[in-house]
Amino acid sequence: MESDIRVLVWGLGAMGSGMARMIQEKDGVQLVGAVDINPAKVGRDAGEVVGLHESVGVTVACDGREALAQCCPDLVVIATRSFVREVMDEILLAVEYGANVISIAEEMADPWAQHPKMADAIDKSARERGVTVLGTGINPGFVLDLLIVCLSGVCVDVESVVARRVNDLSPFGPTVMETQGVGTTLEQFQAGIESGSIVGHVGFPESISLIARALGLRLDRIEQTKEPIISNVARKTEHVTVEPGWVAGCRHIAVGYCNDKEIIRFEHPQQILPELEGVDTGDYITIEGTPRIDMAIKPEIPGGLGTTALAVNMIPLVHAATAGLRTMVDFPVPRALRKESDGVARAQDV
Amino acid sequence: MESDIRVLVWGLGAMGSGMARMIQEKDGVQLVGAVDINPAKVGRDAGEVVGLHESVGVTVACDGREALAQCCPDLVVIATRSFVREVMDEILLAVEYGANVISIAEEMADPWAQHPKMADAIDKSARERGVTVLGTGINPGFVLDLLIVCLSGVCVDVESVVARRVNDLSPFGPTVMETQGVGTTLEQFQAGIESGSIVGHVGFPESISLIARALGLRLDRIEQTKEPIISNVARKTEHVTVEPGWVAGCRHIAVGYCNDKEIIRFEHPQQILPELEGVDTGDYITIEGTPRIDMAIKPEIPGGLGTTALAVNMIPLVHAATAGLRTMVDFPVPRALRKESDGVARAQDV
């Protein structure tokens, strides 16, 4: 049997904490380090911080470089921020220490989409150090890109793709309500879009770029629109109240064109309590082609669990990959890691 | 730009003919050879034989060795028979001539499942010659294995999998009617199961083995049952008539156990005209786990088109792979190849 892959988790928010808990349960991976800037977490045992009932013998560090030097991980999972420019230094530092990297920054799903120079720099560093860097997550990274690419494999021809991710923001807190405009008036929503405080979904250019890369498409342009979802009924969660006529969320739409023909259309209406107006949440993919493919996952794959799972499940594949910056379409399909001690006999080698 | 991958198609039945037509339409692949044993096809231009409106400059050969020696393909797609022992010689011959191989023989989706010695022999030959061998197809090869593995990637935990492929056999001819028992009485059906003339689906052990391999499960045993689908109404196609009380098809079920716990359940009811009794055709996957995933593709991915597409779409990935016998879970996700001349601008390199 091979020895466990030694993993450092950088960022112990909801995502990173879930990853740390999951790593503790799985065969073949071992938590050896944890980094967070929150003073309330630094210096404590990571098991306690992430909500495990036992200590794991890993103390949360506040400084990434010190933690890397001390625990020498094979791989670092970075769960801190969304944008390439925000996580670039963390990635390059991990690479400098010879660690593979998995990032859940949305833009890292395909950093060439909007930041080709930074992507090339990461790729170059990773190749020089002989390590692999991957961005993943539920979306971008799976629902609106990898899954579509995978389904296209059964098509003799693909004419166009229409996909919708319809989700419920109710579980989320004030930050998400603000960035999606939940609970605003129409005027406040429009002002928020203009000022950039309402951002909608982060990841459309990356998902479209991944599909174009895999299918060999060259798109002319991507157009994005963000529309208010006006509620006809009263909606209320722990963190926000929406009166009838107010905004329950943001319908973010992205369209990729090729010679002025619509090739890829994504719709991602994010709102609280869509079922109050009879809207079923779900992930919906239609490929117009030969054959036509109509797929639905109902309800939608939960974003938090899905992102946590993908980041951890990809660890062995990233650890085994050739050096460089990679994307999900370069890898064998993701797959669930087996549990360490579930009482079920398991294969010794896969 | 790289030069085209030179492909020989071995077997010009419905599947092989569709592949030859598809190859003619796609960038990066070129039909350089065709083999079939049917005297009505041998010696004619392959374009004419497969239903293209133009000749393609490839004459259908009857002898595989001669065709391989003459056209020196980079890759051979074998679309002749279903079982490893039937296609083994063809595969080894192609390997001997230094060609990569894609087979749509159902058992080749995971030949280790039932024929580990033959699989090892193919693997050894492929490694020695530095070529890659892959078995693929819609099922096994995609719906009940690769797609399930892919979806499991978003799961923190997988407890069990239940999947159903519900299809309509109406388009198929007399051979399929006989092997699925369509149009038999209950007594004839039972006799056909006992004699082996009614076979049901070929591929459950392979699909289950692929999932177990990818997810690191060790299964104790696989149990298969084949039940008659008794029709309550009259059903009729061009090739068969089913009276009420007769058999409209075969409900083939396979269950994989681990310590006597049901881990994988597949149901594949194959019949003519299921909609006459209100049955929706489709591909349905449920993963019981964290999170639970419920996926439906309605109607089901058509088997013929899907198998044709997968075999051709995998060509560049197989051509680029490291040597040896491989399965679909070892490869990057399949993806649709771009058309050669669809008037849409395409990326020069992917």
Side-chain angles (χ1 to χ4, degrees):
Chain A
M1 266 180 83
E2 292 181 17
S3 59
D4 284 353
I5 301 169
R6 299 164 49 82
V7 183
L8 180 152
V9 176
W10 191 330
L12 295 178
M15 296 297 101
S17 293
M19 293 170 200
R21 291 194 301 271
M22 183 172 166
I23 288 166
Q24 282 300 105
E25 284 190 345
K26 296 292 175 178
D27 262 5
V29 289
Q30 185 191 352
L31 186 70
V32 298
V35 175
D36 200 285
I37 53 167
N38 184 340
K41 297 177 181 176
V42 173
R44 292 167 58 199
D45 185 89
E48 184 195 331
V49 168
V50 304
L52 289 168
H53 297 296
E54 53 182 12
S55 70
V56 295
V58 171
T59 303
V60 178
C62 67
D63 184 78
R65 184 180 291 275
E66 280 175 24
L68 285 161
Q70 197 203 329
C71 71
C72 303
D74 298 310
L75 188 146
V76 177
V77 182
I78 299 177
T80 53
R81 308 291 294 274
S82 291
F83 300 106
V84 174
R85 64 171 191 279
E86 296 171 327
V87 294
M88 177 99 178
D89 288 348
E90 297 164 356
I91 291 171
L92 292 177
L93 187 64
V95 168
E96 179 190 328
Y97 278 83
N100 300 289
V101 174
I102 294 175
S103 161
I104 59 165
E106 285 93 327
E107 285 189 348
M108 280 299 297
D110 188 343
W112 283 283
Q114 301 195 79
H115 308 288
K117 284 183 188 167
M118 286 192 272
D120 285 342
I122 293 170
D123 185 48
K124 183 163 176 285
S125 295
R127 287 175 196 268
E128 284 171 0
R129 286 298 276 128
V131 298
T132 308
V133 176
L134 171 70
T136 192
I138 196 65
N139 191 38
F142 191 85
V143 174
L144 293 185
D145 37 55
L146 186 75
L147 192 51
I148 292 170
V149 171
C150 186
L151 290 170
S152 84
V154 305
C155 292
V156 172
D157 272 319
V158 172
E159 296 300 325
S160 60
V161 175
V162 177
R164 283 182 302 135
R165 180 161 164 84
V166 183
N167 59 339
D168 183 352
L169 295 177
S170 306
F172 293 91
T175 307
V176 169
M177 296 304 112
E178 286 164 24
T179 59
Q180 304 299 329
V182 181
T184 59
T185 63
L186 186 53
E187 292 69 28
Q188 289 167 334
F189 185 88
Q190 303 296 8
I193 292 289
E194 276 166 36
S195 74
S197 67
I198 297 177
V199 296
H201 171 59
V202 177
F204 279 138
E206 289 71 24
S207 289
I208 290 175
S209 174
L210 280 173
I211 293 173
R213 176 195 307 275
L215 271 58
L217 308 171
R218 189 171 56 205
L219 299 173
D220 312 326
R221 68 187 192 282
I222 297 170
E223 289 181 1
Q224 297 192 56
T225 54
K226 299 167 196 168
E227 303 166 355
I229 300 171
I230 307 288
S231 189
N232 294 307
V233 298
R235 308 188 194 188
K236 186 167 172 29
T237 73
E238 187 185 338
H239 297 288
V240 71
T241 298
V242 176
E243 298 294 340
W246 291 13
V247 175
C250 178
R251 179 179 293 109
H252 196 158
I253 295 171
V255 180
Y257 292 90
C258 201
N259 289 352
D260 286 324
K261 191 185 159 206
E262 196 172 301
I263 302 292
I264 300 171
R265 167 176 285 267
F266 288 152
E267 301 184 5
H268 193 6
Q270 301 200 83
Q271 62 195 299
I272 59 164
L273 302 170
E275 71 275 17
L276 292 182
E277 296 198 32
V279 174
D280 281 343
T281 64
D283 295 314
Y284 306 93
I285 295 171
T286 298
I287 299 179
E288 295 288 353
T290 309
R292 176 189 159 108
I293 305 291
D294 257 314
M295 190 221 72
I297 296 173
K298 293 197 283 190
E300 83 281 14
I301 303 172
L305 282 173
T307 295
T308 299
L310 280 164
V312 176
N313 286 332
M314 289 302 291
I315 289 173
L317 293 170
V318 170
H319 186 249
T322 52
L325 172 59
R326 298 268 177 268
T327 70
M328 286 296 280
V329 300
D330 304 320
F331 280 88
V333 290
R335 58 207 61 191
L337 290 181
R338 60 192 176 202
K339 274 197 250 183
E340 198 157 45
S341 54
D342 59 0
V344 175
R346 301 291 174 155
Q348 290 306 301
D349 53 347
V350 185
Chain B
M1 267 180 83
E2 291 183 17
S3 58
D4 284 354
I5 301 170
R6 298 163 50 82
V7 183
L8 181 151
V9 176
W10 191 331
L12 295 178
M15 295 299 100
S17 294
M19 291 169 201
R21 290 194 301 270
M22 184 173 165
I23 288 166
Q24 282 300 107
E25 283 189 346
K26 296 292 177 179
D27 263 5
V29 291
Q30 185 191 352
L31 186 71
V32 298
V35 175
D36 199 286
I37 54 168
N38 183 340
K41 295 178 181 174
V42 173
R44 292 167 59 199
D45 185 90
E48 185 195 331
V49 168
V50 305
L52 289 169
H53 297 296
E54 53 183 11
S55 69
V56 296
V58 171
T59 303
V60 178
C62 68
D63 185 78
R65 184 181 291 275
E66 280 176 24
L68 285 161
Q70 198 203 327
C71 72
C72 303
D74 298 311
L75 188 145
V76 177
V77 182
I78 299 177
T80 54
R81 307 292 294 274
S82 292
F83 301 106
V84 174
R85 64 171 189 280
E86 296 172 327
V87 294
M88 176 98 178
D89 288 348
E90 298 165 355
I91 291 170
L92 292 177
L93 188 63
V95 168
E96 180 190 327
Y97 278 84
N100 300 289
V101 175
I102 293 175
S103 162
I104 61 164
E106 286 92 326
E107 286 189 348
M108 280 299 298
D110 189 343
W112 283 283
Q114 302 195 78
H115 309 288
K117 284 183 188 167
M118 286 192 272
D120 284 342
I122 294 170
D123 185 47
K124 184 163 174 284
S125 295
R127 287 175 195 268
E128 285 170 0
R129 287 297 277 127
V131 298
T132 308
V133 177
L134 170 70
T136 191
I138 195 68
N139 190 38
F142 191 85
V143 173
L144 295 184
D145 35 54
L146 185 74
L147 191 52
I148 292 169
V149 171
C150 186
L151 290 171
S152 83
V154 305
C155 293
V156 172
D157 271 321
V158 171
E159 295 302 325
S160 60
V161 176
V162 178
R164 284 182 301 135
R165 179 161 165 84
V166 183
N167 58 339
D168 182 353
L169 295 177
S170 306
F172 292 93
T175 307
V176 170
M177 296 303 112
E178 287 164 23
T179 59
Q180 304 298 330
V182 182
T184 60
T185 63
L186 186 53
E187 293 69 28
Q188 289 167 334
F189 184 90
Q190 303 296 7
I193 293 289
E194 277 166 35
S195 74
S197 67
I198 296 175
V199 296
H201 171 60
V202 177
F204 280 138
E206 289 72 24
S207 288
I208 290 175
S209 175
L210 279 174
I211 293 173
R213 176 197 306 278
L215 272 57
L217 308 170
R218 190 171 55 204
L219 299 172
D220 312 326
R221 68 187 192 281
I222 297 170
E223 290 181 1
Q224 298 191 55
T225 54
K226 298 167 196 167
E227 302 166 354
I229 300 171
I230 308 288
S231 189
N232 293 307
V233 298
R235 307 188 195 188
K236 187 167 170 29
T237 73
E238 187 186 337
H239 297 288
V240 71
T241 299
V242 176
E243 299 292 341
W246 290 12
V247 175
C250 178
R251 180 179 291 107
H252 196 158
I253 295 171
V255 181
Y257 293 89
C258 200
N259 290 352
D260 287 324
K261 191 185 161 207
E262 196 174 300
I263 303 292
I264 299 172
R265 167 175 285 267
F266 289 151
E267 301 184 5
H268 193 6
Q270 301 200 82
Q271 62 194 300
I272 59 164
L273 301 169
E275 72 274 17
L276 291 181
E277 297 199 30
V279 175
D280 282 342
T281 64
D283 294 314
Y284 307 93
I285 295 171
T286 298
I287 299 179
E288 295 287 353
T290 309
R292 175 189 159 108
I293 306 290
D294 257 313
M295 190 222 71
I297 296 173
K298 291 197 283 190
E300 84 281 15
I301 302 173
L305 282 174
T307 295
T308 299
L310 281 164
V312 176
N313 286 333
M314 289 302 291
I315 289 173
L317 294 169
V318 170
H319 186 250
T322 53
L325 173 59
R326 299 268 178 268
T327 70
M328 285 297 280
V329 300
D330 303 322
F331 281 88
V333 289
R335 59 205 63 190
L337 291 182
R338 60 190 176 203
K339 274 198 250 183
E340 198 159 43
S341 54
D342 60 359
V344 175
R346 301 291 174 157
Q348 291 305 303
D349 52 347
V350 185

